[in-house]
């Protein structure tokens, strides 16, 4: 039974050697599926990705990166560099690795929103994003202890286009389809905070209530992903910035369970 670990693009280069030591030790006895984000590396690749115009808001208020074929190409560029770094760290610790694009038969997506706000007007745009509609775990054919997949969360829509998806929600969908017991969302914050207080454990229902009333930004997406993972059969989701072992053993971070 694999463990899915989503590595936030904003925290990947800050993970210490001890964090990788722990991941490798855990991976020697558990198949690993790593799913990575790319926001920070993409911003570092080209300053245009830091500009407000790089982010769109749809008619319902949801934000999305404006994704064109050129953006997809840049995502692949930073993904390749990230994979090289991750596999170098894992290989040095005795873990083999394999890179997989979600768009290579793993992640399927539906039609995306077409109306977006630009210059205070709703306009129709070809934005290569879309909601995840399914995951086919068949490409993950080498799931075994001592081996890790690194998944770039692109997807393929019904028109055959390669599109951008949310990395947290992609990790949740992959965890459900692969039969993972645990989903670990490694981020740059130590806990979920409610009213300024760290939350050690919370039910899916209470997490969803907070998501809809008080959560903002990246944490809102993570809580949505957590709910989707639990609905798909994952037993628990852990959010935090510590080692995978510490998070799974609930020594730190926030554990989200069905009840």
């Amino acid at each position: 039974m694999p463990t899915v670990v989503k590595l936030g693009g904003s925290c990947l280069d800050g993970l210490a050697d001890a964090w990788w030591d722990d991941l490798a030790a855990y991976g020697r006895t558990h198949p690993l599926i790593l799913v990575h984000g790319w926001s920070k590396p993409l911003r570092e690749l080209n300053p245009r990705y830091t500009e407000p115009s790089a982010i769109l808001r749809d008619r319902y208020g949801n934000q999305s990166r404006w994704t064109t074929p050129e953006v997809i190409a840049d995502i692949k560029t930073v993904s390749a560099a990230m994979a090289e770094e991750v596999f170098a760290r894992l290989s040095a610790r005795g873990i083999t690795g394999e890179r997989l694009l979600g768009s290579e038969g793993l992640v399927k997506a539906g039609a995306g929103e077409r109306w977006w706000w630009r210059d205070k007007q709703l306009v129709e745009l070809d934005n290569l994003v879309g909601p995840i509609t399914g995951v086919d775990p068949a490409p993950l054919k080498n799931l075994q202890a001592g081996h890790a997949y690194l998944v770039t969360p692109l997807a393929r829509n019904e028109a055959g286009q390669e599109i951008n998806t949310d990395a947290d929600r992609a990790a949740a969908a992959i965890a459900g389809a692969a039969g993972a017991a645990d989903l670990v969302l490694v981020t740059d914050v130590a806990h979920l905070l409610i009213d300024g207080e760290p939350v050690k454990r919370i039910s899916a229902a209470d997490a969803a209530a907070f998501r809809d009333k008080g959560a903002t930004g990246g944490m809102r997406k993570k809580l949505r992903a957590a709910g989707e993972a639990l609905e798909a059969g994952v037993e628990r989701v852990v959010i935090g910035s510590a080692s995978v072992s510490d998070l799974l053993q609930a020594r730190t971070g926030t554990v989200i369970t069905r009840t």
Side-chain angles (χ1 to χ4, degrees):
M1 187 177 292
T3 299
V4 177
V5 180
K6 190 268 178 168
L7 301 172
S10 62
C11 69
L12 184 59
D13 58 359
L15 296 173
D17 285 345
W19 190 95
W20 292 101
D21 291 341
D22 174 84
L23 180 67
Y26 181 83
R28 291 187 194 104
T29 57
H30 299 80
L32 289 172
I33 304 172
L34 312 177
V35 181
H36 72 81
W38 54 65
S39 292
K40 182 179 178 181
L42 203 60
R43 292 194 299 269
E44 292 174 345
L45 178 71
N46 192 317
R48 68 189 173 97
Y49 291 121
T50 65
E51 297 173 0
S53 60
I55 302 298
L56 297 174
R57 188 180 296 275
D58 69 16
R59 52 185 164 170
Y60 305 108
N62 300 308
Q63 287 193 160
S64 174
R65 180 172 298 283
W66 189 359
T67 306
T68 63
E70 292 75 22
V71 175
I72 295 287
D74 283 347
I75 288 170
K76 289 182 178 180
T77 295
V78 299
S79 170
M82 294 167 73
E84 185 175 349
E85 177 184 348
V86 168
F87 292 146
R89 291 178 179 274
L90 292 178
S91 177
R93 293 164 171 84
I95 303 294
T96 58
E98 192 172 342
R99 184 184 175 210
L100 182 63
L101 298 179
S103 51
E104 296 175 330
L106 181 66
V107 184
K108 300 175 183 177
E113 175 62 39
R114 294 196 58 82
W115 292 92
W116 304 88
W117 289 101
R118 297 292 292 167
D119 299 324
K120 299 183 179 180
Q121 290 187 327
L122 271 176
V123 296
E124 192 172 12
L125 292 173
D126 286 324
N127 190 23
L128 295 177
V129 299
I132 296 170
T133 56
V135 170
D136 180 359
L140 301 167
K141 55 185 178 293
N142 196 23
L143 283 175
Q144 58 182 306
H147 188 74
Y149 280 95
L150 180 67
V151 178
T152 299
L154 297 172
R156 190 78 60 178
N157 66 16
E158 294 177 356
Q161 295 173 303
E162 201 168 21
I163 67 167
N164 180 7
T165 64
D166 177 70
D168 292 313
R169 298 177 73 181
I174 292 167
D182 299 301
L183 169 62
V184 182
L185 301 177
V186 179
T187 183
D188 53 3
V189 296
H191 305 83
L192 167 67
L193 297 175
I194 297 181
D195 296 330
E197 296 295 323
V199 177
K200 184 171 178 134
R201 184 175 294 269
I202 190 170
S203 70
D206 288 344
F210 175 69
R211 177 197 73 207
D212 294 338
K213 293 181 180 178
T216 59
M219 185 55 72
R220 192 169 189 270
K221 285 187 177 182
K222 284 174 173 51
L223 293 177
R224 183 174 297 281
E228 291 170 350
L230 295 169
E231 288 174 2
V234 175
E235 294 177 11
R236 60 177 175 167
V237 179
V238 192
I239 301 173
S241 59
S243 69
V244 168
S245 293
D246 280 348
L247 292 170
L248 287 175
Q249 293 175 28
R251 289 194 283 260
T252 186
T254 299
V255 178
I256 307 173
T257 55
R258 294 176 203 159
T259 58

